[in-house]
Amino acid sequence: MEGSNFISNDFKLMLGAVIILYIIGVYAISYYAERRVKNVEDYVVAGRRLGIGLSWPALLAIWFGAGTILTVSSEVANNGLKQVSLDPFGSGVCLLIAGAFFAKPLWKMGITTLSDFFRIKFGATAEVVSASIMIPSFFGWIAAQFVALAQILHLFFGLPLNVGAVLVTIVGTGYTILGGMWAVTLCDATQIWLVLIGLVILTCSALAGLGHGDVMIGFANVIHCVQSTAPQKLQLIPTHNHGELWTWMSLFAAGALGNIPSQDLMQRMFSAKSEKVAQNACYIAGIAYILFGALPVILGFVSIYMARNTGFNLGPEVSVLPALAKGFLPPWLAVVFVVVIVAAVMSTINSAILSPATVLAQNILYKNKFIQKRIDPLKLNRLCVVFMAVCSLITVFSGERAYGLLESAYSIPLVGLFVPLAFGLYSKTKSEIPAVCSMLVGILTWMTQYMLGWQYFLEPISPFDKLDLPLTLTSTLCSLITYVACDFVSSKVLAKRPLEMNEPELSNIA
């Protein structure tokens, strides 16, 4: 199997027609959602009116797109079970951590962006620095969604990847501009159920097909095949090699913690109608993410089985799941499943573009008095949506594969924002210096070495012989050390300042 050569013209026509109908439906929903948008709060956080039935699907759909449905199955097929450290395991744990420690206190603050938190807790400089770190972190994440859908268009219609990415950008940006968070939520509430049901049907159909009608036999056949031909691919945690272990831990930390200081997660929590709804929605979404995220992992192993026994081989640039759908489902159901995948990724694109656009508009551009006087805040948010989409498309043309884009997108918030967020939320802040210095040290430590192409901390000159310390963990540690050190110094300076101010008064009395 290669490209679109194994797909009949009838299937292509049917799939193309359904995709067009889907796009029309999405734009109809977005047009309806636009009628609910009266102000910036409606556009950004759906007026803070989401109940549990809309909140948890919206949270689940944040990352349950290209990362889980498409990328993970391909990564597991190529590199084994250890690839789940980032997604779905890391992302699912992230939602649970967010519910346990962040949802309630942040929701109570009544803010619309995460950079608002940094302004309130630390100051205006911390707000701008956090926004400047957060916004570029979305370029790789959005680009990964563009790449995933471009791969589907290449697989089924033979479109070049760059052409497909441009088409996806135009469609995704258009309906994001219209409905904002209301459009995201209403689409997600419907689409995520279709995605989950579709994954269950495809997994059961594939395993039954390989087990002569019995799902459990099919699963046993798949596992036996992997054990006998590539047993290393069943290893969840690579404990045999300390370098791979450090990498696994780094990826898990990036998924579990790096997503927390992220506007798309916070924006959906802020959209809940109460702090309790925000917290419970995180718990439900986290559990669902891990459980249903296991299905693409199983399908990745199914593709290994088929490669060994049937010559199933798509090549490095084609996703596993759409091809499995074509191979194991009836034509009409395969069409529905592929469109469901498209819908899931489009939902992720929607919120992924909206979130950083909101931060750019409200925490950077709208601070300018010239802009305040001449541009309506809603219009400014929509213009920023276009800007984010264009920058992400440029990232696609840089040529990095989807998993690398995901990894770098997760790492940036972790190394730059997680430490000051946690300290700001759970400790008294005396100065913005610790937060700003922590952000800058963390991001610059990571970015400098990343741009130099170093795989490990201080790779050519590392004093830690044979440890191969990963960039993400060590950069986050540098951020932590910087915050603690600056906070200690700031506390000492502030403790001395009242005495220094009192000395002239004492001399005057004398």
Side-chain angles (χ1 to χ4, degrees), residues 52 56 59 99 103 275-285:
I52 191 70
W56 80 261
L59 284 164
E275 60 193 81
K276 195 67 177 176
V277 169
Q279 183 179 56
N280 290 337
C282 287
Y283 290 147
I284 296 171

Side-chain angles (χ1 to χ4, degrees), residues 140-401:
W141 171 241
I142 300 168
Q145 317 305 309
F146 291 167
V147 169
L149 284 189
Q151 288 175 339
I152 292 179
L153 295 176
H154 172 72
L155 172 64
F156 289 103
F157 303 106
L159 284 178
L161 292 177
N162 287 345
V163 174
V166 171
L167 291 176
V168 170
T169 303
I170 293 172
V171 173
T173 305
Y175 82 90
T176 303
I177 290 173
L178 280 177
M181 194 62 195
W182 271 117
V184 173
T185 302
L186 295 176
C187 290
D188 288 351
T190 302
Q191 290 170 168
I192 199 63
W193 279 109
L194 296 176
V195 171
L196 300 182
I197 293 170
L199 277 175
V200 171
I201 291 174
L202 176 58
T203 304
C204 291
S205 298
L207 293 177
L210 299 180
H212 306 290
D214 191 307
V215 171
M216 296 308 297
I217 292 176
F219 182 75
N221 289 340
V222 168
I223 297 301
H224 176 73
C225 173
V226 178
Q227 284 178 330
S228 60
T229 59
Q232 73 280 2
K233 291 191 175 183
L234 288 175
Q235 188 176 31
L236 175 61
I237 303 176
T239 55
H240 63 285
N241 184 301
H242 71 270
E244 290 189 8
L245 178 60
W246 277 116
T247 300
W248 189 96
M249 292 173 61
S250 179
L251 289 175
F252 174 73
L257 301 179
N259 279 315
I260 288 176
S262 180
Q263 174 64 13
D264 52 356
L265 171 61
M266 296 300 167
Q267 195 163 354
R268 297 185 185 212
M269 291 196 306
F270 299 157
S271 300
K273 67 179 182 180
S274 71
E275 60 193 81
K276 195 67 177 176
V277 169
Q279 183 179 56
N280 290 337
C282 287
Y283 290 147
I284 296 171
I287 294 170
Y289 204 113
I290 294 172
L291 291 177
F292 287 98
L295 301 181
V297 175
I298 293 173
L299 291 170
F301 287 135
V302 168
S303 69
I304 295 175
Y305 176 92
M306 294 186 66
R308 297 288 188 272
N309 295 277
T310 67
F312 178 85
N313 184 13
L314 293 174
E317 292 192 339
V318 180
S319 299
V320 167
L321 260 64
L324 290 178
K326 178 64 176 62
F328 285 102
L329 298 177
W332 68 270
L333 195 54
V335 166
V336 172
F337 183 80
V338 173
V339 174
V340 164
I341 293 176
V342 171
V345 181
M346 289 298 289
S347 286
T348 303
I349 289 173
N350 186 299
S351 63
I353 295 176
L354 178 64
S355 298
T358 299
V359 175
L360 177 61
Q362 297 186 204
N363 298 109
I364 294 184
L365 297 181
Y366 208 65
K367 299 295 180 181
N368 186 287
K369 292 182 179 180
F370 178 85
I371 293 177
Q372 287 180 10
K373 293 177 180 178
R374 288 164 176 79
I375 303 180
D376 177 77
L378 262 179
K379 182 179 180 180
L380 181 62
N381 273 271
R382 286 173 167 140
L383 289 173
C384 289
V385 165
V386 176
F387 174 79
M388 286 301 304
V390 172
C391 290
S392 301
L393 184 61
I394 293 172
T395 305
V396 172
F397 293 151
S398 69
E400 190 171 2
R401 67 194 181 97

Side-chain angles (χ1 to χ4, degrees), residues 12 52 135 241 277 432 491:
K12 293 179 186 178
I52 191 70
I135 292 167
N241 184 301
V277 169
E432 68 177 337
S491 299

Side-chain angles (χ1 to χ4, degrees), residues 456-469:
Y456 305 104
F457 184 64
L458 300 176
E459 184 175 334
I461 54 173
S462 175
F464 310 103
D465 188 33
K466 298 182 179 180
L467 282 181
D468 293 337
L469 299 176

